[in-house]
């Protein structure tokens, strides 16, 4: 089998993995609140169950990332991580007590740590100027799972039978369903996933050069100018991700893609530049955590990861009790709502994928933060204490959710792509693990924050708005 086909099948399998992570989230989130109620759990248990999943992912992400950086292999890491997803979802299906359910989410969350290895793999196997596009596609796969998941829930809610000693109903069925899907994914990884070698610098340079030629020819630029200018910019992009400072004067004409890459390398990482002769040595030789992560641009991107996920998970935790309180929504209505949100997010990721080729990723990030700020103000005014009768309350709720979901693709894609460019490429698995752990911490604290303040909405929303304003500044 040729490398091109192997690459396509590998990327397809990665897409399937993120798709299933979205499906799992979408089939469990609408029903877990009622599931806990049947087990006589206190309201704060909802926040604990959602946070447990993130806690184990927070701890496992850097470990899996470090493992992949050391070995250069991701296949065995994915297979190992998926076993935790299978076991955790089966425990969720058993559901004898609220503590078993809490433990099930803790075990399943370990499997999410493989994501850091995958992002590290994607960083090493793509050119810098293509990275935002690839990350947007991968993230869109997860959102597609969020879209498909509620459709499965519509059928799973009809389950009502016994399987040996276990009861299969609308609350336990999602666990059994996801357990079977993760088993099928194991087979897909075994037969359709390959540990591809890192993208060679020469090939990346050639690809970038040919792509830039096409874009400049569309703009009517001269071929000779293109021959002189492109190698300079390609060199800047390739070496910039390792921390070199480019001192050559910029070319007169720049394509949007080239300008995008150039803008994102103003503040380069401080990790040492690896020489060709040391490529076989440990990627962590001369690596310093403080030099790598305690820099303004890295701290800002990690803050963007934390604050946006904190606000998102807090609102998601609040949504199901809110719809039950004001609109008497059940599992079906919540599933339809999540399905519609999935459509919006996928459209957003497709738009960001198109936009990232034309403008700098910092512009994409700024657009996302602007939308999130508008959403925060709206939720603080109208969702903290809904005004008017049922039609007005429903309208206020729909607009608030729409704005919140709209800003997510912009911030998510921009910050992960920029983060991969301002941190060293050879330790991307570990760096992405740190980034995802920061996000995991946010998804732990977000549900806990919202779960404990469902009766004090102004405090909950006010702190979330203050965090967003801080990040924007």
């Amino acid at each position: 089998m040729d490398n091109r086909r192997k690459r396509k099948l590998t990327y397809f399998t990665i897409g399937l993995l993120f798709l299933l992570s979205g499906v799992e989230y979408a089939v469990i989130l609408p029903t877990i609140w009622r599931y806990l109620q049947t087990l006589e759990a206190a309201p704060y248990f909802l926040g604990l169950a959602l946070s447990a999943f993130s806690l184990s992912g927070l701890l496992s992400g850097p470990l899996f990332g470090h493992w992949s950086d050391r070995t250069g292999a991701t296949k065995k890491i994915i297979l190992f991580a998926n076993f935790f997803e299978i076991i955790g979802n089966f425990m969720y299906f058993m559901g004898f007590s609220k503590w078993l359910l809490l433990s099930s989410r803790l075990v399943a969350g370990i499997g999410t740590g493989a994501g850091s290895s995958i992002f590290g793999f994607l960083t090493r196997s793509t050119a810098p100027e293509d990275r935002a596009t690839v990350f947007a596609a991968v993230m869109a796969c997860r959102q597609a799972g969020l879209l498909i998941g509620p459709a499965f829930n519509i059928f799973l809610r009809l389950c009502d039978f016994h399987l040996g000693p276990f009861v299969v109903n609308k609350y336990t069925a999602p666990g059994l369903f996801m357990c079977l899907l993760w088993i099928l994914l194991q087979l897909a990884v075994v037969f359709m996933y390959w540990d591809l070698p890192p993208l060679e610098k020469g090939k990346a340079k050639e690809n970038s050069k040919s792509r830039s030629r096409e874009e400049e020819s569309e703009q009517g630029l001269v071929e000779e100018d293109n021959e002189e200018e492109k190698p300079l910019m390609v060199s800047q992009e390739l070496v910039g991700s390792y921390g070199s400072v480019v001192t050559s004067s910029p070319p007169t004409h720049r394509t949007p893609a080239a300008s995008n890459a150039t803008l994102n390398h103003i503040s380069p990482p401080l990790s040492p530049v690896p020489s060709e002769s040391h490529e076989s040595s440990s990627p962590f030789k001369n690596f310093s955590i403080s030099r790598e992560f305690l820099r303004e641009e890295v701290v800002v991107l990690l803050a963007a990861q934390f604050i946006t996920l904190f606000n998102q998970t807090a609102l998601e935790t609040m949504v199901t009790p809110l719809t039950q309180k004001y609109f008497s929504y059940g599992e079906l209505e919540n599933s339809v709502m999540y399905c519609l949100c999935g459509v919006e997010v996928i459209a957003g990721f497709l738009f960001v994928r198109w936009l990232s080729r034309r403008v700098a990723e910092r512009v994409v990030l700024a657009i996302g933060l602007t939308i999130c700020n508008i959403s925060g103000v709206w939720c603080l005014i109208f969702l903290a204490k809904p005004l008017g009768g049922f039609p007005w309350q429903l309208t206020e709720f729909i607009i608030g959710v729409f704005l919140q979901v709209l800003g997510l693709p912009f911030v998510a894609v921009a910050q992960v792509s920029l983060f991969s460019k301002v941190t060293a490429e050879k330790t991307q698995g570990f760096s992405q693990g740190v980034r995802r752990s920061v996000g995991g911490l946010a998804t732990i604290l977000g549900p806990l924050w919202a779960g404990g303040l469902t009766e004090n909405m102004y405090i909950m929303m006010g702190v979330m708005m203050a965090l967003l304003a801080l990040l924007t500044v």
Side-chain angles (χ1 to χ4, degrees):
M1 187 180 296
D2 62 349
N3 286 333
R4 192 170 186 177
R5 185 171 177 80
K6 284 183 179 180
R7 185 174 293 272
K8 285 183 178 180
L9 289 175
T10 299
Y11 286 169
F12 176 75
T13 307
I14 290 173
L16 280 180
L17 190 147
F18 279 89
L19 180 78
L20 286 197
S21 69
V23 170
E24 178 177 1
Y25 191 84
V27 298
I28 286 178
L29 188 64
T31 57
I32 191 172
W33 171 240
R34 293 288 183 92
Y35 193 2
L36 285 167
Q37 287 178 327
T38 64
L39 299 173
E40 299 179 354
Y44 66 83
F45 241 80
L46 174 62
L48 285 178
L50 296 177
S51 297
F53 185 77
S54 301
L55 174 63
S56 51
L58 179 154
L59 299 173
S60 64
L63 296 178
F64 285 146
H66 186 273
W67 183 5
S68 66
D69 287 336
R70 286 279 187 187
T71 63
T74 52
K75 182 173 183 175
K76 58 187 177 184
I77 296 173
I78 295 172
L79 291 171
F80 178 71
N82 284 352
F83 274 117
F84 290 97
E85 289 279 10
I86 294 169
I87 295 168
N89 278 287
F90 189 78
M91 291 169 62
Y92 186 90
F93 159 65
M94 293 166 64
F96 293 129
S97 72
K98 60 185 180 182
W99 294 107
L100 181 62
L101 192 147
L102 180 63
S103 301
S104 74
R105 301 313 293 154
L106 197 65
V107 172
I110 297 174
T112 63
S116 58
S117 300
I118 293 172
F119 275 109
F121 164 79
L122 291 174
T123 298
R124 290 188 289 266
S125 60
T126 55
E129 65 273 10
D130 295 331
R131 213 161 284 162
T133 303
V134 172
F135 288 161
V138 169
M139 292 177 176
C141 288
R142 185 177 187 277
Q143 300 306 320
L146 293 174
L147 172 61
I148 298 170
F152 288 127
N153 234 4
I154 292 172
F155 296 102
L156 292 174
R157 62 190 287 271
L158 302 176
C159 294
D160 189 14
F161 59 91
H162 283 75
L163 190 65
F166 306 112
V167 177
V168 183
N169 56 32
K170 61 184 177 180
Y171 302 125
T172 61
L176 179 62
F177 177 69
M178 288 310 307
C179 180
L180 296 174
L181 286 185
W182 284 111
I183 291 173
L184 292 176
L185 182 70
Q186 286 289 75
L187 297 175
V189 173
V190 169
F191 295 108
M192 297 169 58
Y193 188 97
W194 284 268
D195 285 320
L196 302 172
L199 188 68
E200 295 177 15
K201 294 182 182 180
K203 289 184 178 179
K205 184 174 180 178
E206 183 181 343
N207 293 340
S208 179
K209 185 175 179 180
S210 61
R211 186 182 299 105
S212 299
R213 282 176 177 170
E214 291 174 6
E215 290 175 351
E216 289 201 350
S217 64
E218 290 175 3
Q219 297 173 21
L221 296 180
V222 182
E223 181 93 6
E224 287 75 12
D225 291 339
N226 179 41
E227 287 290 332
E228 296 175 3
E229 293 167 7
K230 290 306 154 196
L232 290 174
M233 289 193 289
V234 173
S235 175
Q236 179 185 356
E237 291 170 2
L238 290 169
V239 183
S241 62
Y242 289 97
S244 64
V245 179
V246 179
T247 56
S248 58
S249 59
T252 307
H253 302 288
R254 291 181 185 268
T255 65
S259 299
N260 186 358
T262 304
L263 278 169
N264 294 328
H265 290 292
I266 293 173
S267 226
L270 299 178
S271 296
V273 181
S275 62
E276 296 295 328
S277 60
H278 292 90
E279 284 187 350
S280 60
S281 63
S282 170
F284 290 93
K285 186 176 181 180
N286 299 325
F287 178 80
S288 170
I289 291 180
S290 60
R291 284 188 304 174
E292 187 72 7
F293 300 120
L294 297 183
R295 291 180 284 117
E296 287 183 7
E297 64 273 23
V298 177
V299 171
V300 168
L301 291 172
L302 291 176
Q305 170 86 344
F306 179 87
I307 293 172
T308 52
L309 282 178
F310 177 88
N311 288 358
Q312 178 192 349
T313 52
L315 286 170
E316 285 172 351
T317 305
M318 171 204 70
V319 158
T320 42
L322 197 67
T323 56
Q324 185 182 23
K325 178 179 179 181
Y326 289 102
F327 312 125
S328 301
Y329 279 5
E331 296 84 8
L332 177 62
E333 292 85 355
N334 284 332
S335 295
V336 172
M337 176 183 66
Y338 284 114
C339 187
L340 293 175
C341 288
V343 173
E344 181 189 353
V345 172
I346 289 175
F349 273 109
L350 292 176
F351 177 73
V352 170
R353 179 176 178 172
W354 171 84
L355 185 66
S356 63
R357 291 180 177 273
R358 288 158 176 80
V359 300
E361 282 141 339
R362 289 189 299 178
V363 175
V364 177
L365 183 62
I367 293 172
L369 289 176
T370 301
I371 296 172
C372 287
N373 274 282
I374 295 171
S375 168
V377 172
W378 180 275
C379 291
L380 186 60
I381 296 173
F382 295 107
L383 291 193
K385 189 175 182 181
L387 307 174
F390 180 84
W392 280 108
Q393 290 179 354
L394 184 60
T395 302
E396 292 160 4
F397 176 79
I398 290 172
I399 293 174
V401 171
F402 174 82
L403 290 173
Q404 175 65 23
V405 172
L406 183 63
L408 292 178
F410 294 88
V411 179
V413 173
Q415 59 91 6
V416 70
S417 180
L418 286 169
F419 187 82
S420 73
K421 293 177 180 179
V422 298
T423 51
E425 187 173 308
K426 283 200 169 185
T427 55
Q428 274 297 299
F430 179 75
S431 297
Q432 293 291 344
V434 170
R435 182 189 64 81
R436 287 170 65 87
S437 290
V438 170
L441 181 63
T443 55
I444 292 169
L445 298 177
L448 291 175
W449 176 257
L453 290 170
T454 51
E455 301 300 324
N456 298 278
M457 298 289 285
Y458 281 112
I459 297 177
M460 184 181 80
M461 296 283 191
V463 170
M464 291 161 57
M465 187 61 229
L467 288 173
L468 259 180
L470 176 65
L471 173 61
T472 306
V473 172

